[in-house]
Amino acid sequence: MKPYVRAKLSAAAILSILMLILVSSCSLTRRLKDNQALVRKITIKGVSEEFAEPAKNYVDKQQQPNSAVNLQFYYLFSRNGKKAIGEPPAILDTNLVEFSRLQIQKFLQNKGFLKAAVADEIKVKNKKAELVFNVTPGTLFKVKNYKDSIADPKLVGLYRSNKSLITHIKPGKRYDEDSLAYDREQFYQLMKRNGYYDFYRQYVSFSVDTALGKGLVNVDLQVDNPENKNGHTQFTINNTLISITGSSGRKRGRPDTLQLDSQFRFVDFSGKFKPKNITRYIFQKKGQIYDIDNQTLTTTRLSELNVFRNVPSPTYQKAADSSNRLDTKIDLIPLKKMSDRVEGEFIFNSGRYGFNLANTYTNRNLFGGAEILQVKFNYSILYDNAKEQAAINNGIQNQDFRIGANLTYPGIISPFNIHSLGRFGIPHTTFASNFQYFYQDGLVARKSVINSITYDWKPDKRSLHSFTPINIEFSSGKIDANAQKDLLAQNRFSYIYLIGRTVFTAGSQYTYTRNYSLLNSYQNFIYFRGSVDLGGNSLALISKLTDAKRDTLGQRTVFGQAFSQYIKGEADLRFYKSLGGEKQFIFRLNPGVGVPYGNSNQLIFEKNFYVGGANDMRAWLPRTLGPGGFNRATYYSDDAQRARFKYLDQFGEIKIVANAEYRYKITSNFFGSKLKGALFSDIGNVWRLKDEVPGGKFTLATLPKTTAIGIGTGIRLDLDFFVFRLDAGFKFKDPQFSGSNQWVLVNHLDELFSSGTFKNNYYQNNGEKYSFMQLNFGIGMPF
């Protein structure tokens, strides 16, 4: 069986799984006994939604209504509980209903309804049960007075000076035991940030007087002293011992031992680390008071060096004298110095298939300063079994080979004295060199080399700056003689110039990212990533100062080669909205534009935008959409030319993409992992700045009709440390067609999985099959 035939069968099987997840039409009660009922609804009456919705979480887990999909998974795969797949049916249990009633009552009392009473009612119809909890809330109690009774006078001033910043308990506000727990934790943290190493939560308690009547309470914060002591002791940091074992965790041989200064003693059994790059990220300094925040910061930064295993919290020993000093010990176990990772990927769509093979070699702590060297190799090949493509190059569409090396240093390497930027994250300096060879038989062979230096740093907890002051790129292409002859015959000089020229540029890049640390959360937030790429200005200045010669096209040269001059910008703006639990809605806007100027009238081929693939327009393969309403069937004179330029002619200097995605949890237990789902819509395209191809130029007037729309659904297998993703995207509006014919899914839904007039006509005009659906495999979220 041919690979592309197997791919079709796989696509059908995968789509069947998606449909199974989305469509659950079988009866949910079909396996219940006559005396059983399935809990399908929970209703809480008598209190506002502010309390009713969270109160539902206090209903016992076994009485929480199942989702239809969860239950169908259990019925289909679990074999009546023999395998832990999906969730078993929530069968009505009166004992658990009574337990839930008491839990809801306690929850409401903790929220200020101190005299709340809850009664339960069970309604059953057709083996489906509704649990109704009727609440008699009584008076909502509020705080009248809030005072403190702290035994240690030193703690009184410290607390009162910070009280407004840390307390949730305020006179006139609703009494809430969660606020008491919050204030207790905040008091504990305040002490631990101010030298009180021996302070424990048990010292903090509250006395609540509810006998005032009229719905009022008095709250008294009480802080006790240690037993048989008159107060709490404040500690300062003394000496620090850093001990590094071998990667096995054992202490073998004679270690490298250094007394660095009056604080740090460095003992390295591995013999591979330079002390300075470790001690610079230890924020507990001798003579300073003990601060738990500096302790956490130290362990976090040492972990971020990515050369140690999980970094434990330091251990402390009190000095033998009465000086109230703490000696610190930090035990570190290095990761293995060298590692190798192999990755593979397979793609298929309507007779097109291919694979991508990658290998990453990592050498940690290369020079003893926690430097990391990565050497990456990547090879990909794409086959196309369309008849014209097979005739040109035996079905091979293109091949891509890449190799590169990155050396990352934990710090800023600069001729200038830059203050340490490590409080909010470790800064990095990365030296990178990458080579790429792209080959498409019968068209072009392109080579490119990129060398760069990049600085990354975090000015606060949520922001990331990335600045590449030096980025030197060299690229060259050699066009197949027959392809060049065809292009010349049709006066398409721009393609020859774009993919066949030799050009280099030197420039700078800058990227700013905001709220990157929240991407794996379910909070409401706005994510932003903006980048600017500016190239050729320094070379333009040099060429003018030296009065450099121009080439045959009139471009100035440096070292005998024409250089590119351009500016390119791109933004990624996302709005994340939590819908409760693990449900989330995301809207993303991703525009970009690149403009050649000065010494250039075209962008370098690699600087252009394209869409399609697993992360933006998911109903299209990469490089198969646009520009604008460009139609390959009418642009090329024959199928051979059309096949020759496939994946290389659908790009643009302008990109606008918008995505909307709803994410939800399907089941918490699918073969031991969480299974999640998504519904999405993708809107966008790429366009040209100039009128170079029919329908490809960007104008506001033609924007609506040249914009593509895709819809789809997907599943995500969440393994905690990474996510496997499978998305099925469907073309809804295809701008390569005109008028009402663009609404392909509406007009030709009957041909979604079969061939008819539409698909047959497309095949005759384009020499390839039309596919409504595109399957995308990936690791991680699309955005």
Side-chain angles (χ1 to χ4, degrees):
M1 185 182 290
K2 293 183 179 180
Y4 66 87
V5 176
R6 290 197 298 267
K8 285 185 175 181
L9 295 176
S10 301
I14 293 168
L15 188 62
S16 298
I17 295 174
L18 290 172
M19 296 301 292
L20 173 65
I21 292 171
L22 294 175
V23 181
S24 303
S25 58
C26 297
S27 171
L28 299 177
T29 60
R30 64 183 184 273
R31 294 193 182 180
L32 268 61
K33 298 178 181 178
D34 292 339
N35 63 341
Q36 291 180 326
L38 184 70
V39 178
R40 295 303 298 147
K41 186 177 181 182
I42 297 173
T43 303
I44 297 180
K45 299 180 179 180
V47 290
S48 65
E49 285 296 310
E50 177 186 359
F51 301 103
E53 281 302 313
K56 292 179 181 179
N57 296 324
Y58 289 84
V59 175
D60 188 85
K61 184 179 180 181
Q62 295 182 44
Q63 299 296 282
Q64 295 281 356
N66 304 103
S67 75
V69 176
N70 276 356
L71 201 51
Q72 296 293 6
F73 265 104
Y74 180 83
Y75 286 154
L76 289 170
F77 299 116
S78 289
R79 298 182 183 178
N80 295 322
K82 294 180 180 179
K83 293 185 178 181
I85 302 172
E87 295 177 3
I91 298 174
L92 178 65
D93 185 327
T94 55
N95 291 325
L96 293 178
V97 173
E98 171 62 14
F99 175 77
S100 301
R101 181 191 70 81
L102 294 174
Q103 291 297 104
I104 293 173
Q105 184 170 286
K106 183 178 180 181
F107 162 74
L108 293 171
Q109 290 171 351
N110 290 342
K111 287 298 179 182
F113 299 99
L114 299 183
K115 298 181 180 181
V118 180
D120 62 78
E121 179 184 0
I122 301 173
K123 300 178 181 180
V124 179
K125 184 178 181 181
N126 297 327
K127 291 189 176 184
K128 295 181 180 180
E130 178 185 1
L131 307 184
V132 181
F133 296 93
N134 295 296
V135 179
T136 304
T139 303
L140 178 63
F141 282 74
K142 297 183 178 181
V143 177
K144 182 180 181 181
N145 295 309
Y146 178 40
K147 67 174 184 176
D148 57 73
S149 300
I150 303 175
D152 188 341
K154 299 191 302 296
L155 272 56
V156 173
L158 177 61
Y159 170 67
R160 291 180 180 175
S161 63
N162 289 276
K163 181 178 179 179
S164 62
L165 302 175
I166 65 175
T167 183
H168 278 185
I169 305 172
K170 299 182 184 297
K173 298 294 184 180
R174 172 172 54 85
Y175 171 78
D176 188 338
E177 290 200 7
D178 287 342
S179 294
L180 270 61
Y182 176 86
D183 274 36
R184 182 189 192 200
E185 180 63 24
Q186 290 301 306
F187 193 99
Y188 167 78
Q189 293 292 335
L190 179 64
M191 297 302 108
K192 300 291 274 190
R193 287 194 294 267
N194 286 274
Y196 295 97
Y197 167 75
D198 270 344
F199 192 89
Y200 299 102
R201 293 178 179 86
Q202 289 84 342
Y203 294 135
V204 184
S205 61
F206 292 92
S207 174
V208 181
D209 182 5
T210 62
L212 300 177
K214 299 181 181 180
L216 297 174
V217 299
N218 285 334
V219 180
D220 183 13
L221 169 68
Q222 299 176 344
V223 182
D224 298 329
N225 284 335
E227 188 175 358
N228 300 323
K229 290 188 178 181
N230 296 324
H232 293 266
T233 302
Q234 190 178 51
F235 289 87
T236 57
I237 298 297
N238 190 35
N239 297 324
T240 300
L241 171 63
I242 303 167
S243 177
I244 303 177
T245 68
S247 59
S248 64
R250 298 178 181 178
K251 298 178 179 180
R252 291 178 174 176
R254 186 175 180 179
D256 294 338
T257 302
L258 294 172
Q259 183 68 44
L260 303 179
D261 52 30
S262 62
Q263 176 182 359
F264 293 108
R265 183 175 176 82
F266 188 79
V267 179
D268 183 7
F269 284 88
S270 72
K272 297 176 180 178
F273 288 89
K274 295 178 181 178
K276 182 179 179 181
N277 288 329
I278 308 298
T279 58
R280 73 166 57 172
Y281 296 114
I282 296 177
F283 294 87
Q284 297 168 293
K285 303 301 182 182
K286 189 170 185 175
Q288 294 180 352
I289 61 173
Y290 167 80
D291 185 341
I292 195 172
D293 287 349
N294 283 338
Q295 171 186 298
T296 302
L297 189 61
T298 296
T299 56
T300 301
R301 295 297 169 264
L302 291 177
S303 296
E304 289 176 357
L305 287 173
N306 200 27
V307 292
F308 300 112
R309 297 186 195 177
N310 293 335
V311 178
S313 296
T315 57
Y316 301 93
Q317 184 175 353
K318 299 174 186 176
D321 55 25
S322 58
S323 59
N324 300 328
R325 294 179 298 172
L326 295 173
D327 289 327
T328 308
K329 185 181 180 183
I330 301 175
D331 293 303
L332 301 172
I333 302 176
L335 290 167
K336 288 185 177 180
K337 183 175 177 62
M338 291 180 284
S339 64
D340 198 70
R341 184 177 75 250
V342 178
E343 298 173 300
E345 182 182 31
F346 181 72
I347 60 173
F348 53 85
N349 178 276
S350 296
R352 304 165 190 164
Y353 62 96
F355 66 84
N356 180 63
L357 182 66
N359 185 86
T360 302
Y361 163 80
T362 301
N363 189 315
R364 297 179 179 87
N365 195 38
L366 184 63
F367 302 120
E371 306 89 355
I372 296 177
L373 172 68
Q374 285 193 323
V375 179
K376 300 180 180 181
F377 159 87
N378 183 286
Y379 174 73
S380 61
I381 185 169
L382 181 65
Y383 294 89
D384 194 326
N385 283 279
K387 60 181 181 181
E388 291 77 14
Q389 194 66 49
I392 294 175
N393 49 24
N394 299 318
I396 298 177
Q397 180 66 47
N398 56 58
Q399 300 177 70
D400 192 1
F401 171 78
R402 303 183 187 196
I403 188 170
N406 297 336
L407 177 63
T408 302
Y409 174 82
I412 301 296
I413 299 178
S414 168
F416 308 103
N417 186 17
I418 297 177
H419 179 69
S420 175
L421 301 171
R423 188 159 191 87
F424 298 102
I426 291 183
H428 294 98
T429 301
T430 301
F431 301 89
S433 182
N434 295 279
F435 170 79
Q436 178 183 9
Y437 180 79
F438 176 86
Y439 176 73
Q440 183 159 321
D441 191 21
L443 179 59
V444 69
R446 283 191 62 81
K447 294 179 289 185
S448 64
V449 178
I450 303 175
N451 297 289
S452 63
I453 301 175
T454 300
Y455 300 113
D456 299 309
W457 72 95
K458 302 174 183 178
D460 55 55
K461 293 181 179 179
R462 294 190 174 185
S463 298
L464 173 65
H465 295 279
S466 180
F467 177 51
T468 304
I470 300 175
N471 185 74
I472 301 173
E473 303 183 29
F474 174 87
S475 61
S476 65
K478 183 177 181 181
I479 301 177
D480 178 83
N482 292 328
Q484 184 165 346
K485 181 179 179 181
D486 288 343
L487 290 171
L488 289 173
Q490 299 178 52
N491 296 320
R492 289 174 181 159
F493 304 105
S494 61
Y495 272 115
I496 298 174
Y497 180 64
L498 182 66
I499 64 177
R501 65 176 173 167
T502 298
V503 66
F504 81 101
T505 189
S508 300
Q509 300 169 350
Y510 170 74
T511 301
Y512 171 74
T513 307
R514 180 70 178 174
N515 285 336
Y516 65 94
S517 60
L518 302 178
L519 288 177
N520 293 323
S521 73
Y522 288 95
Q523 300 181 37
N524 297 324
F525 66 97
I526 298 174
Y527 169 89
F528 175 77
R529 184 179 187 273
S531 62
V532 177
D533 183 357
L534 189 64
N537 289 338
S538 58
L539 297 178
L541 179 61
I542 293 173
S543 67
K544 289 181 180 179
L545 293 176
T546 59
D547 194 23
K549 295 181 179 179
R550 296 179 181 269
D551 63 10
T552 56
L553 296 176
Q555 289 186 305
R556 290 184 178 273
T557 62
V558 174
F559 306 122
Q561 296 291 343
F563 59 89
S564 180
Q565 202 170 357
Y566 64 91
I567 182 170
K568 179 182 177 182
E570 186 175 5
D572 186 347
L573 179 64
R574 309 177 199 170
F575 298 86
Y576 288 79
K577 175 67 176 178
S578 174
L579 301 177
E582 296 185 43
K583 294 180 291 186
Q584 193 177 39
F585 177 77
I586 303 100
F587 176 77
R588 176 199 193 201
L589 183 63
N590 181 207
V593 61
V595 180
Y597 66 94
N599 204 48
S600 301
N601 55 21
Q602 280 188 319
L603 284 179
I604 301 174
F605 180 74
E606 289 79 9
K607 295 293 181 180
N608 283 281
F609 295 103
Y610 67 89
V611 290
N615 297 320
D616 46 45
M617 301 298 295
R618 284 165 280 188
W620 282 264
L621 279 170
R623 300 181 184 270
T624 63
L625 175 61
F630 175 57
N631 189 312
R632 304 184 80 249
T634 59
Y635 186 67
Y636 294 103
S637 60
D638 55 55
D639 290 342
Q641 283 194 3
R642 192 176 299 110
R644 192 191 304 275
F645 293 101
K646 186 187 292 186
Y647 306 119
L648 288 179
D649 57 0
Q650 296 188 270
F651 61 88
E653 297 91 349
I654 298 174
K655 176 181 76 169
I656 302 176
V657 172
N659 311 91
E661 182 163 300
Y662 169 63
R663 298 172 183 170
Y664 57 94
K665 183 176 71 174
I666 298 173
T667 178
S668 297
N669 193 353
F670 183 72
F671 294 97
S673 302
K674 288 183 180 180
L675 185 65
K676 300 179 180 180
L679 299 172
F680 59 82
S681 177
D682 304 324
I683 304 173
N685 207 336
V686 292
W687 292 266
R688 300 281 180 86
L689 285 172
K690 301 176 182 179
D691 193 8
E692 296 176 326
V693 295
K697 183 180 179 181
F698 177 84
T699 65
L700 291 176
T702 60
L703 181 62
K705 70 178 182 180
T706 57
T707 299
I709 301 176
I711 59 175
T713 184
I715 56 175
R716 288 87 193 268
L717 187 63
D718 188 348
L719 303 178
D720 290 333
F721 45 94
F722 62 85
V723 176
F724 283 114
R725 173 167 55 93
L726 171 63
D727 289 333
F730 299 87
K731 298 179 178 68
F732 191 78
K733 177 178 178 288
D734 193 338
Q736 68 173 306
F737 304 110
S738 59
S740 62
N741 292 327
Q742 291 186 339
W743 304 95
V744 290
L745 195 61
V746 175
N747 296 332
H748 309 291
L749 184 61
D750 57 325
E751 296 187 44
L752 183 60
F753 300 113
S754 61
S755 295
T757 303
F758 171 73
K759 284 188 175 179
N760 291 333
N761 290 337
Y762 186 87
Y763 183 75
Q764 292 299 321
N765 294 328
N766 290 270
E768 61 182 9
K769 296 180 180 180
Y770 189 85
S771 175
F772 287 94
M773 183 186 72
Q774 169 64 33
L775 290 174
N776 296 289
F777 293 95
I779 295 178
M781 292 298 185
F783 47 83

